[in-house]
Amino acid sequence: MIIQLRQKAPDERERNRPAAALRYGATWVTGAARTADARRAVHAFLAHAIRTAHTHITKRAEQDAQLVVSELVTNALRHAPGPCGLLLELSTDNTRLGITVWDTSPSLPRMHERDGTRVGGHGLYLVQACSRALTATARPGGKQITAEVALASA
């Protein structure tokens, strides 16, 4: 079940956030989130950006964005109890996609030491490889992870 975020008066954190050309947000209640829903949201958001913001998005950039959102939402579902959410933001210059996933776990993600024999635990390496920037911050009642994906080749 996807619950659309409501419009609200900006709080202090939102006032300091860089402007975005387009924004989309979704909140999933406990047990209702699916990684496939997040990937579809990225696809629909980028298609909308192409039509309305007249931005160029490479196929590789869309694939990178879908991999990033898939890894981040999967981690939220696997490691955090309670609801989680997704925020997609197109930069004002239409060259970057911000992908923010929040959840209710206060534990910040950490990179495991590289180990080719380990099964699992490689998702953050993939997210970092596909992103221009990756940040994890604590927030009231949990944490949020934000990745920035370039949308066109430089």
Side-chain angles (χ1 to χ4, degrees):
M1 167 189 237
I2 298 176
I3 302 169
Q4 298 299 326
L5 294 178
R6 295 179 222 191
Q7 293 288 352
K8 61 179 181 172
D11 63 15
E12 190 61 37
R13 197 172 339 149
E14 289 172 334
R15 278 189 220 118
N16 294 329
R17 171 178 280 171
L22 292 173
R23 248 187 207 137
Y24 166 82
T27 300
W28 292 281
V29 295
T30 305
R34 293 186 334 196
T35 304
D37 294 334
R39 285 192 306 268
R40 279 192 290 277
V42 167
H43 177 74
F45 181 84
L46 293 177
H48 182 72
I50 290 168
R51 285 190 313 276
T52 62
H54 308 291
T55 188
H56 174 71
I57 300 168
T58 65
K59 185 66 174 168
R60 170 71 186 263
E62 181 176 352
Q63 292 170 341
D64 286 351
Q66 288 185 345
L67 177 62
V68 167
V69 80
S70 182
E71 288 294 332
L72 294 180
V73 169
T74 297
N75 284 346
L77 295 174
R78 182 173 291 151
H79 301 294
C84 62
L86 169 68
L87 178 64
L88 303 174
E89 297 178 289
L90 180 64
S91 64
T92 55
D93 63 1
N94 299 342
T95 62
R96 298 176 314 282
L97 174 65
I99 300 170
T100 300
V101 174
W102 61 265
D103 63 47
T104 57
S105 171
S107 300
L108 295 177
R110 62 181 178 80
M111 297 274 221
H112 297 283
E113 197 167 312
R114 291 182 188 252
D115 179 358
T117 63
R118 184 183 63 243
V119 175
H122 304 283
L124 282 177
Y125 286 109
L126 293 172
V127 170
Q128 190 173 44
C130 294
S131 304
R132 292 172 40 143
L134 178 64
T135 59
T137 53
R139 58 178 254 157
K143 69 173 170 305
Q144 71 180 33
I145 295 111
T146 301
E148 185 179 277
V149 176
L151 295 179
S153 301

